[in-house]
Amino acid sequence: MYLAGQLLGSLVFGMLSDRFGRRKILMCTSLMIIITSTCVAFVPTFTAFVILRFFIGSVLMGANMAKNCLTLEWMPIERRVLAHACNTYAYSLGTVLLSAWAYLIREWRWLQFSTSVAYGITFLFSMALPESARWLITHNKLHMAVKSLQKVAWINGQQEEGRKLTPEDVKSHIEEDFATVKSTSHLGHLFQTPGMCKITLCVISTWFTCGFTFYGLAFNLESYDFSLYVVQVLFGLIDIPARLLAFISISYLGHRFTLMLWAVFSGSTIIIGIFVPQDLAVLRMTLAVLGKGSMVAVLSCLFLYIVELFPTEIRQMGMSVGLFAVSTGSMFGSLARMIGIPLLETLLFGLVPFLSAISASFLIETHGLPLLETIEETENRMKRAQSLKGNASEDVEERPALLLPEMTQAEGTV
């Protein structure tokens, strides 16, 4: 039911975020998480518990999407990977701390209540965050966009450059793009052009296979003949080197090759585990941890990759479709654990990651390129990438988003 809630939230809150803004959705979902999580800790019946868990999954997915998109839309190209690394390492740290916290607080109601209170920190931070200037500009809210840019310029110590920005300057810079920006977005826009259709289908396939394997491993913690708390800590600690290697690989090899590399490695370690005898528990655990860590590297790459593949006007919707696919895959992964044939289950979790590598091979490389604002720009990039055999990064003659044509270097630091 929790995963089904994530399935719904990935679609609903993605569309709401593209329509009403990233910051508003982050604030609303953070507040809803606090309320529903607190209620879960004190519900008297299992039916009420399950229903509330469904809503928690939904709003938590919405908060994660809005947070990720808002963060990366504010980042310049050279800091995008670093910002995403900070986001994902915070998640890994939370996984490890949760194991220790659950060990200390054995009563599940108090454990649930304490985690809901902790999410209040996110709500407080979201109130101070500026709305995405990219989203405001694509929705013709130029005065609000300038205020957001000036606020960030002040934070960065560039007050003088921020004061020079005016709505007229911003409008003159992106005026030619307004004709192609959609006033409202819907799922059909993800398939509007051949290039967008190709991106969407590949993203759905890749995310589905990752969710299937990742959650299939995560839901099997009790089968390794170790303490549940120890296994949880190991599954959290492996994220640290896995994410680091993923980000190093992205920096030097790009998103597409990184995704393919770690997907193949994850599937290989899981399949090798089939041939390890049951009495070699440590080796079995090591292979499972490596398989899970490799899949974390794939997911880390995907969260950054998907932001760069889709344009601003439908970016959250594209992320919604990806997370809808990963939630669907996770549901099937949990159901696969009910087959009752361990060999067949493990074989499925090992073979599926290879499908991620195949799907990724049809995507274009976007590392080092500016985020695009419109579907038309994305389609043009896809056409250029086809002429360059899939490597769009070889052609960087694209308009730098949110920067004025005559900006000096100092002004560009805003």
Side-chain angles (χ1 to χ4, degrees), residues 17-295:
S17 181
D18 276 336
R19 187 182 182 101
F20 298 107
R22 287 65 162 117
R23 178 176 175 269
K24 289 181 181 178
I25 297 302
L26 180 59
M27 291 178 59
C28 291
T29 51
S30 298
L31 183 60
M32 292 167 67
I33 290 171
I34 298 172
I35 296 172
T36 52
S37 296
T38 302
C39 291
V40 165
F42 301 102
V43 290
T45 65
F46 181 70
T47 301
F49 171 83
V50 170
I51 294 174
L52 286 173
R53 286 294 294 171
F54 174 87
F55 283 109
I56 289 176
S58 178
V59 295
L60 186 60
M61 180 64 78
N64 286 337
M65 287 193 302
K67 176 264 300 178
N68 191 56
C69 197
L70 181 61
T71 301
L72 295 179
E73 284 188 347
W74 270 115
M75 290 299 112
I77 297 173
E78 66 275 7
R79 293 289 181 267
R80 204 178 294 158
V81 173
L82 178 61
H84 183 58
C86 293
N87 270 340
T88 54
Y89 272 122
Y91 179 87
S92 301
L93 179 61
T95 301
V96 175
L97 291 179
L98 179 62
S99 304
W101 193 244
Y103 184 81
L104 295 174
I105 304 178
R106 300 300 181 95
E107 172 57 42
W108 73 267
R109 292 184 184 274
W110 287 112
L111 178 64
Q112 178 70 46
F113 177 74
S114 62
T115 55
S116 66
V117 172
Y119 219 90
I121 300 173
T122 303
F123 175 72
L124 294 177
F125 274 115
S126 66
M127 296 177 65
L129 290 173
E131 179 58 272
S132 168
R134 292 179 181 275
W135 181 86
L136 291 170
I137 289 174
T138 55
H139 286 74
N140 204 14
K141 301 176 186 284
L142 299 181
H143 286 278
M144 296 176 64
V146 169
K147 288 182 179 179
S148 289
L149 287 168
Q150 289 174 338
K151 181 177 182 179
V152 173
W154 179 82
I155 294 173
N156 290 338
Q158 303 291 337
Q159 295 90 335
E160 184 62 30
E161 286 75 15
R163 280 193 289 268
K164 294 178 182 178
L165 290 175
T166 65
E168 291 72 22
D169 292 332
V170 175
K171 184 175 182 180
S172 64
H173 174 57
I174 47 86
E175 194 169 31
E176 62 184 27
D177 294 323
F178 273 126
T180 59
V181 173
K182 307 293 185 298
S183 57
T184 58
S185 57
H186 54 78
L187 289 175
H189 291 149
L190 295 174
F191 305 92
Q192 180 173 322
T193 64
M196 287 305 310
C197 184
K198 182 179 180 180
I199 290 174
T200 303
L201 293 177
C202 289
V203 164
I204 290 174
S205 175
T206 306
W207 278 92
F208 175 87
T209 54
C210 288
F212 183 88
T213 300
F214 180 86
Y215 283 96
L217 294 173
F219 291 157
N220 197 34
L221 301 182
E222 298 90 348
S223 66
Y224 297 109
D225 300 325
F226 286 90
S227 167
L228 181 65
Y229 299 98
V230 172
V231 177
Q232 178 69 17
V233 169
L234 291 175
F235 269 42
L237 289 176
I238 191 61
D239 291 4
I240 298 175
R243 296 184 193 279
L244 177 61
L245 290 174
F247 295 132
I248 293 175
S249 179
I250 289 173
S251 299
Y252 290 97
L253 303 176
H255 298 89
R256 185 172 59 168
F257 187 81
T258 297
L259 202 159
M260 295 167 62
L261 172 66
W262 290 107
V264 170
F265 184 82
S266 177
S268 300
T269 55
I270 296 172
I271 292 177
I272 291 173
I274 297 175
F275 304 99
V276 177
Q278 290 292 323
D279 56 338
L280 298 178
V282 175
L283 181 57
R284 291 178 58 245
M285 167 63 71
T286 301
L287 290 172
V289 170
L290 289 175
K292 188 264 183 183
S294 303
M295 193 50 60

